[in-house]
Amino acid sequence: MIYIDPPYNTGNDFIYRDNFRNNLQNYFEITGQSGRDGQKLSTNSDSSGRYHSDWLNMMYPRLKLARNLLMDDGVIFISIDDNELTNLRKICDEIFGEDNFIELFLWNKGQGSSLSRFTRSDYEYILCYGKSKNRIMYKFKAKKTDEMQDSSLLNNSNRYSELIFPAKTINFVKNKSGVIKSFKENDLELINDIFIENYFNKNEVRIKAKFKWSQKYLDDNLNKGTTIISKTDNLRLRYIKKKEEDIIVPTKSITEKNEVGFNLSASSELKKLLGKDIFSYPKPVSLLKYIIDMVCDRNDIILDFFSGSATTAHAVMQLNAEDGGERKYIMIQVPELCDEKSEAYKAGYRNICEIGKERIRKAGIKIREDESLLIENRKKLDIDFKVFRLDSSNIKEWDNETKNLKQSLFEIQESIKEDRTELDLIYEIILKYGLELDEKIEKKGEIYLIKSGRLLINLDKNLDMKMVNQMCEECKRLMDREEEKKISVILRDSSFKNDTDKTNIIKKFEQMGIKEIKTI
């Protein structure tokens, strides 16, 4: 799932430096190779002829990328107000497709301010689209409030879990009356409550099927949420299991009846957590919990690329603590600078990202200490997180226009930038090898082992033969394992005393069967 609460188009400054006429230069600015992080670029005044266009140009490429990131059964929720609702829906129709529109939810945010002389706005909108609407299934069991008692609100298709069929499919035949039956085998256990749903006419016929799966095995697969399809007859099997309560389709309005708070309560809960009122207009944790619980399984990934004060991360941790889930979050935020006169700046926060990080830290601790939650869920809860910042490479670039060749050669002897740490380098190497940022990093002395030893890295500035022998022993241990044959070794180029030592060390690795030895 993706949730975003983008900056509403209120005529204030934009801090997103997007220059579509010069994408390379834009990239250089974003990565800190020119310009200043968080620097404001332009003012989007409502008197500007491009008032709507500027905001939409900022949103369009981000939504385009968001669609690419979603899985086929993924969903995006976008909070928005009246200013750009109609325009936002138009570009979402173009990007996601009109057929993939799910709903325009109305959230009762509480008593609004009198920003308009005509009406007081008490509602905001949450626009919802799916990557592929026919793949979307509601997941949560909403409480049956008075407005949800109508049977038409029950999502019947979702009341049955589907199982995955084993490699040996069941053979089905039709008798002269057209009734579908299974082959009978006396040594197989009788399983009741099996429906066969024909893909084409959707007629369901109740049968008693005998096959090799025991009731326990069926239940185990049912709990895994897998799906079964009969390849022979193009039929789907549904194993019906009575549930304590039905999955209920949510209503269009999100109100107090859904146990979702107001804007004012969101500000109060954040102030209580951080000690001061340092962030304007955060969304309530309860609102994000409601949305996440609506469409996400317990092990899904939730992305928010306008993360602000990190309400989404807070909501994910809270839900995990309540139901024992293992959902993961990815928060992305431009390091917008805090105004020096703001309460956030006075409290020591220099940009919005620092506020979000502190909230995640304190929220995690608070949730773990909440005795109203099951102790096993609190112990299981993972509140750790990693922070990455988009930046230029850790490797120095050669100056092609140098006027002092001798000085440039002297400076490039050490290829790593002075202000970079070993971990900075490790993560750049991980990215360049196409590995995930959450890969396990194991350190043995000066040796870093990535992906169970597929990648061995030593960034020591003084590499001697003792260290080389240790690395060779580690390589031999890994290569003895059947599944680990290909190993790459990366060393620091400035760690060799001279070219002869470098050649000898590389040859030693090659003699062990290591074909990829690189230096940086």
Side-chain angles (χ1 to χ4, degrees):
M1 180 193 117
I2 295 176
Y3 169 78
I4 56 172
D5 183 14
Y8 297 167
N9 195 5
T10 58
N12 293 324
D13 292 342
F14 278 172
I15 54 100
Y16 299 92
R17 282 171 285 158
D18 296 330
N19 183 347
F20 300 106
R21 292 171 299 176
N22 189 343
N23 288 330
L24 184 60
Q25 181 61 30
N26 180 47
Y27 172 77
F28 287 159
E29 291 179 4
I30 291 173
T31 57
Q33 296 177 62
S34 62
R36 176 188 176 200
D37 281 345
Q39 179 181 350
K40 296 186 177 182
L41 178 67
S42 62
T43 300
N44 190 39
S45 168
D46 56 8
S47 61
S48 168
R50 294 176 57 83
Y51 176 65
H52 295 289
S53 181
D54 286 346
W55 187 86
L56 291 169
N57 281 337
M58 181 272 292
M59 289 294 296
Y60 190 94
R62 289 167 172 80
L63 292 176
K64 191 82 171 178
L65 179 58
R67 184 190 179 280
N68 294 341
L69 289 171
L70 281 174
M71 295 180 69
D72 287 343
D73 62 347
V75 179
I76 184 170
F77 294 89
I78 309 169
S79 284
I80 196 65
D81 66 358
D82 293 298
N83 287 305
E84 297 292 354
L85 173 61
T86 54
N87 291 324
L88 177 62
R89 185 159 179 179
K90 287 175 183 175
I91 62 173
C92 284
D93 281 346
E94 179 179 330
I95 293 169
F96 295 95
E98 290 184 58
D99 292 343
N100 289 318
F101 168 75
I102 294 176
E103 187 54 89
L104 178 63
F105 291 100
L106 300 173
W107 168 51
N108 182 7
K109 67 177 182 178
Q111 192 174 42
S113 60
S114 300
L115 296 177
S116 168
R117 63 189 178 91
F118 300 106
T119 59
R120 184 188 296 274
S121 176
D122 295 339
Y123 284 84
E124 283 188 7
Y125 307 98
I126 302 176
L127 193 57
C128 180
Y129 282 79
K131 175 75 168 283
S132 180
K133 188 177 179 179
N134 60 0
R135 299 286 299 274
I136 308 302
M137 293 181 68
Y138 289 119
K139 307 291 172 60
F140 77 146
K141 296 177 181 178
K143 292 187 177 180
K144 296 180 181 178
T145 58
D146 292 339
E147 62 182 296
M148 288 186 174
Q149 292 296 337
D150 191 333
S151 61
S152 64
L153 293 176
L154 294 179
N155 189 357
N156 292 317
S157 64
N158 290 330
R159 293 166 71 182
Y160 310 128
S161 295
E162 296 172 350
L163 305 172
I164 259 200
F165 214 78
K168 294 181 179 179
T169 60
I170 302 172
N171 294 312
F172 292 97
V173 295
K174 289 184 179 180
N175 62 16
K176 294 179 180 179
S177 302
V179 178
I180 301 173
K181 292 184 176 181
S182 64
F183 287 120
K184 295 181 179 179
E185 296 183 29
N186 294 329
D187 59 333
L188 301 181
E189 182 180 352
L190 184 66
I191 305 294
N192 294 317
D193 292 329
I194 294 292
F195 273 39
I196 296 180
E197 179 189 357
N198 189 300
Y199 267 22
F200 301 103
N201 59 33
K202 302 296 182 184
N203 292 328
E204 292 187 343
V205 181
R206 184 163 183 164
I207 65 166
K208 291 183 177 181
K210 289 184 176 182
F211 48 91
K212 295 180 180 179
W213 280 15
S214 67
Q215 184 72 48
K216 181 179 182 304
Y217 194 55
L218 278 169
D219 288 339
D220 289 343
N221 278 271
L222 178 68
N223 293 330
K224 292 177 183 177
T226 52
T227 306
I228 290 193
I229 295 176
S230 168
K231 297 178 181 177
T232 54
D233 293 290
N234 200 24
L235 301 172
R236 175 182 293 176
L237 287 179
R238 280 185 174 175
Y239 173 68
I240 300 173
K241 180 179 179 181
K242 292 182 180 179
K243 297 184 178 181
E244 294 179 1
E245 59 179 324
D246 293 307
I247 292 175
I248 299 177
V249 174
T251 59
K252 184 182 181 73
S253 297
I254 302 175
T255 66
E256 282 184 288
K257 289 184 178 181
N258 308 115
E259 298 184 356
V260 173
F262 301 128
N263 255 340
L264 187 61
S265 63
S267 298
S268 297
E269 68 185 4
L270 185 57
K271 182 178 180 180
K272 185 176 180 181
L273 185 66
L274 298 182
K276 291 185 178 181
D277 189 7
I278 61 174
F279 193 86
S280 302
Y281 311 115
K283 291 293 186 288
V285 172
S286 55
L287 174 64
L288 269 298
K289 279 174 54 185
Y290 180 84
I291 292 171
I292 294 168
D293 205 22
M294 189 187 300
V295 296
C296 287
D297 287 321
R298 294 185 181 185
N299 60 346
D300 280 347
I301 300 174
I302 294 91
L303 168 68
D304 184 341
F305 55 86
F306 288 101
S307 66
S309 65
T311 304
T312 304
H314 190 161
V316 169
M317 290 190 293
Q318 185 69 42
L319 264 179
N320 284 344
E322 291 175 4
D323 64 13
E326 296 181 352
R327 304 169 187 86
K328 295 181 180 181
Y329 59 80
I330 302 173
M331 303 289 104
I332 302 174
Q333 176 62 46
V334 170
E336 181 181 351
L337 300 177
C338 297
D339 191 301
E340 293 185 8
K341 296 179 181 178
S342 67
E343 289 298 319
Y345 191 90
K346 294 174 184 176
Y349 301 101
R350 294 299 175 257
N351 60 57
I352 291 179
C353 300
E354 293 179 5
I355 297 173
K357 287 187 286 185
E358 186 65 10
R359 180 185 192 159
I360 296 173
R361 292 187 191 102
K362 290 192 173 181
I365 294 171
K366 182 182 177 183
I367 293 168
R368 273 198 174 166
E369 294 174 350
D370 186 352
E371 295 183 357
S372 67
L373 300 170
L374 290 175
I375 188 167
E376 55 265 33
N377 288 353
R378 287 188 281 137
K379 286 182 178 180
K380 177 185 174 183
L381 181 64
D382 183 1
I383 62 173
D384 295 329
F385 61 99
K386 291 181 179 181
V387 180
F388 296 95
R389 180 168 60 91
L390 186 63
D391 209 328
S392 59
S393 172
N394 298 286
I395 312 298
K396 291 179 181 176
E397 294 179 2
W398 174 253
D399 184 3
N400 291 321
E401 299 180 359
T402 181
K403 294 181 180 179
N404 190 336
L405 181 59
K406 183 178 180 181
Q407 181 63 26
S408 296
L409 287 170
F410 178 77
E411 291 175 354
I412 207 71
Q413 286 184 95
E414 174 54 71
S415 59
I416 312 301
K417 294 177 180 177
E418 287 78 6
D419 60 339
R420 305 303 169 92
T421 66
E422 283 193 354
L423 273 181
D424 292 336
L425 280 166
I426 294 296
Y427 279 111
E428 180 170 355
I429 293 167
I430 284 174
L431 285 173
K432 288 183 174 177
Y433 269 80
L435 303 178
E436 302 290 341
L437 286 171
D438 60 355
E439 289 287 354
K440 182 180 178 182
I441 300 174
E442 185 182 358
K443 190 176 182 184
K444 292 186 175 181
E446 297 298 324
I447 305 171
Y448 291 91
L449 288 84
I450 317 294
K451 203 172 180 62
S452 302
R454 173 187 158 187
L455 197 58
L456 262 73
I457 305 173
N458 189 319
L459 300 173
D460 192 10
K461 292 183 178 180
N462 299 300
L463 187 63
D464 55 23
M465 288 308 298
K466 181 180 178 181
M467 178 60 66
V468 172
N469 289 333
Q470 289 179 9
M471 292 187 70
C472 288
E473 289 175 8
E474 191 64 38
C475 289
K476 184 178 184 305
R477 182 184 68 82
L478 293 166
M479 293 180 76
D480 286 341
R481 291 160 51 183
E482 192 67 27
E483 69 274 16
E484 296 290 353
K485 290 186 177 180
K486 184 179 179 181
I487 298 174
S488 299
V489 173
I490 297 179
L491 305 169
R492 192 177 191 130
D493 195 61
S494 59
S495 66
F496 304 106
K497 294 179 181 178
N498 50 55
D499 289 345
T500 302
D501 276 4
K502 181 177 180 179
T503 302
N504 290 337
I505 289 172
I506 290 175
K507 287 294 182 184
K508 186 173 180 64
F509 283 115
E510 288 176 347
Q511 288 171 0
M512 292 194 61
I514 308 294
K515 296 181 179 180
E516 185 169 280
I517 305 104
K518 292 187 176 181
T519 61
I520 57 172

